[in-house]
Each structure stands twice: as structure tokens, then as C-alpha cells.
Amino acid sequence: MSANTGPLLEVKDLQKWFPVRKGLLIERTVDYVKAVDGVSFEIPEGQTLGLVGESGSGKSTTGYCVLQLLKPTGGSVRFMGKELTTMGSGDLREMRREMQIVFQDPYSSLNPRMTVGGIVAEPLAVHGIGTRRSRDARVRDLLETVGFNPDFTNRYPHEFSGGQRQRIGIARALALNPRLIICDEPVSALDVSIQAQILNLLKDLQRDLGLAYLFVAHDLAVVRAMSDHIAVMNKGVLVETGKANDVYTNPREDYTKALLAAVPVPDPRRMRERKRERRKLAHAVAEGL
């Protein structure tokens, strides 16, 4: 692969429209749900872009379109200087070695019929990397890297907690030494104390391995802790982008302010003030949209 001097990932005018069809005998398209509509952003090597928004805003769909798990309706996705949207299946298969995903739900994202060792080794087997013995050694190294006991490779996912399962998912994502990982709300299904452990693990891995992240979440406080830059998404479009601290401490858009007002604070008086702020902002956002 040729050297890429630009950003690791460059997304321009990305669209994903889902057709709305009606008709019994002959279906016809009557409208489109514009899940993603004209989204543009960049992620440099080794940095994190936090993509934040409420449920249904289109942020996860954006991540799936970046990986080409969903085929975009329009726009450009350039990774390592190469256009993914027009790439053939064989070349795309090779590019996917460089970009992986950690899913939101650690319960449904792991095959319950496979052992831990089989789950983590699966990407290596699919791409024909190494022998069975070398893959087994690689699996043990990966599990140790994510803080999981490598002696548990013959156990099954149902034997572990949500946090442990998410570590297994992260180990699987690391198996092919990717440069970019899409983190699709990786801690939203976990207890708060476990969330902190997983977030710290992801930051440590980024520091040690030089990973870039597209970090998808609905919690602006979590995104701020993880991200260099933040992009706020609402109804399929980006409404605000900027450096993480700037967006968090001095948001420009009412929608971003509403997201911030929803972040819990450990002060009952401040929470009452937040409720009043949310009501005002909800009204302002509704009028603006």
C-alpha cells in the first residue's frame, strides 16, 4: 500500500438513505429516511473523533458506512488514501484488516457457541494468518493485553461478566493489528465502574499501539474524556464540530447545550437547575428544527 500523507480517514458528504416503500403487488418508493445526510469529518493517525448524539441521530449508521458494512447512498470514504466506496470486495477485504469495530452489546456481539479462544482467533483464521499454534499464542498475548486471563481460552462467553466480554471483543478487534477502530457505544451497556475500566483500557491501547478511534456515544462527558475532537450529530447531520474541550465548555448550538444539560452531576441543586435548562433548551431546539 502506498504511503498516505493526509488524514488516516477522510469522510466527505456521506449519505445513507433508506427507501420507504408502499404497495402490495407492486412496491414503489414514496420517500426516504435520511439516516445520514451530508456528513464530513477527518481522523488523523493516532487520534480520536467522538461522534455524539441521541438515539436515532445516525451516528452508528455513520460508523457502519465507514466500514462499508452498510453501503453508502452517496459521498466519499477515503481510508489510508484509498476510496472505499468504489472498492471491489477482494480489495475491501484486505482493507478491513486495517479497520475493525467494537460493538455496543458485549452479550450479543460474541458467538455463544464459540470459545473465547475461537472468538479472538477467528479474524486470524479468516484471513489465513499463521498456523494454529501461532494463532493460539497470539490469542493468549491479546487476552493478556486487554487484561483478560489467557487461561480462560476454552471457556464460553456466557461464563463472564459484561466487562469481561467487552475485553474479549476488544481483543478480537486488535487481532489483525488495525490502525482504526470504530467504537460503537462500547461502554453504554456496562455498569459505571466497569465503564471507567474499559475507557482507560482503550486509552492505554491507543497510546501503546498508535490506534485511531471513531468513538460513537450518546454521553458527551464520556466522549470528552476519550476524544481529541467532537462532532455532534442530530437527525443525520452534523450540527457542531470542534476540539473536545471547546465543544464541551463553550458549545455554540442549542442541541449541543441540551446534550450537556442531560449529563448528570452529583449535586441535587445543580440537577434542578439542569432540569430547568433542559426544558428551555428543548423548546429552543424544537423551534429551531
Side-chain angles (χ1 to χ4, degrees), residues 52-54 217-225 230-233 239-240 243-266 270-279 281-282 285:
V52 62
E54 61 188 328
H218 62 269
D219 188 332
L220 198 50
V222 170
V223 170
R224 180 198 189 191
I230 290 176
V232 181
M233 196 166 187
V239 296
E240 183 166 356
K243 292 182 179 179
N245 283 334
D246 292 343
V247 172
Y248 193 87
T249 58
N250 189 29
R252 301 187 307 273
E253 300 296 324
D254 286 336
Y255 181 75
T256 310
K257 294 174 184 177
L259 288 178
L260 276 171
V263 177
V265 293
R270 181 62 182 138
M271 280 304 295
R272 286 193 292 271
E273 293 174 10
R274 283 282 181 90
K275 287 181 181 179
R276 289 193 292 270
E277 291 172 8
R278 282 200 297 272
R279 285 194 292 268
L281 289 165
V285 169

Side-chain angles (χ1 to χ4, degrees), residues 87-223:
M87 194 172 282
S89 58
D91 291 336
L92 190 56
R93 178 188 173 96
E94 288 300 310
M95 290 299 289
R96 284 201 176 114
R97 295 175 61 167
E98 304 288 346
M99 48 183 184
Q100 294 290 310
I101 185 169
V102 175
F103 292 99
Q104 175 180 358
D105 187 355
Y107 297 90
S108 62
S109 62
L110 303 180
N111 189 334
R113 298 185 179 183
M114 294 179 68
T115 65
V116 170
I119 289 169
V120 178
E122 186 176 22
L124 299 169
V126 166
H127 285 271
I129 298 174
T131 63
R132 181 166 183 174
R133 177 175 292 183
S134 67
R135 288 197 291 266
D136 288 345
R138 172 67 172 157
V139 167
R140 292 182 66 87
D141 288 342
L142 288 166
L143 292 174
E144 282 189 310
T145 297
V146 301
F148 189 91
N149 191 331
D151 294 330
F152 292 163
T153 54
N154 292 322
R155 296 192 182 183
Y156 290 85
H158 73 268
E159 300 180 60
F160 301 103
S161 67
Q164 289 172 313
R165 293 184 199 193
Q166 199 59 295
R167 290 177 188 271
I168 297 168
I170 293 170
R172 177 179 59 187
L174 293 174
L176 298 173
N177 293 317
R179 297 171 68 176
L180 171 71
I181 295 181
I182 310 292
C183 299
D184 183 20
E185 303 215 36
V187 298
S188 63
L190 306 177
D191 293 339
V192 173
S193 60
I194 306 302
Q195 286 184 13
Q197 295 176 19
I198 298 300
L199 293 174
N200 285 333
L201 171 62
L202 290 170
K203 293 194 79 169
D204 290 344
L205 291 171
Q206 183 174 50
R207 179 196 64 214
D208 296 341
L209 303 177
L211 297 168
Y213 293 140
L214 175 60
F215 193 91
V216 176
H218 62 269
D219 188 332
L220 198 50
V222 170
V223 170

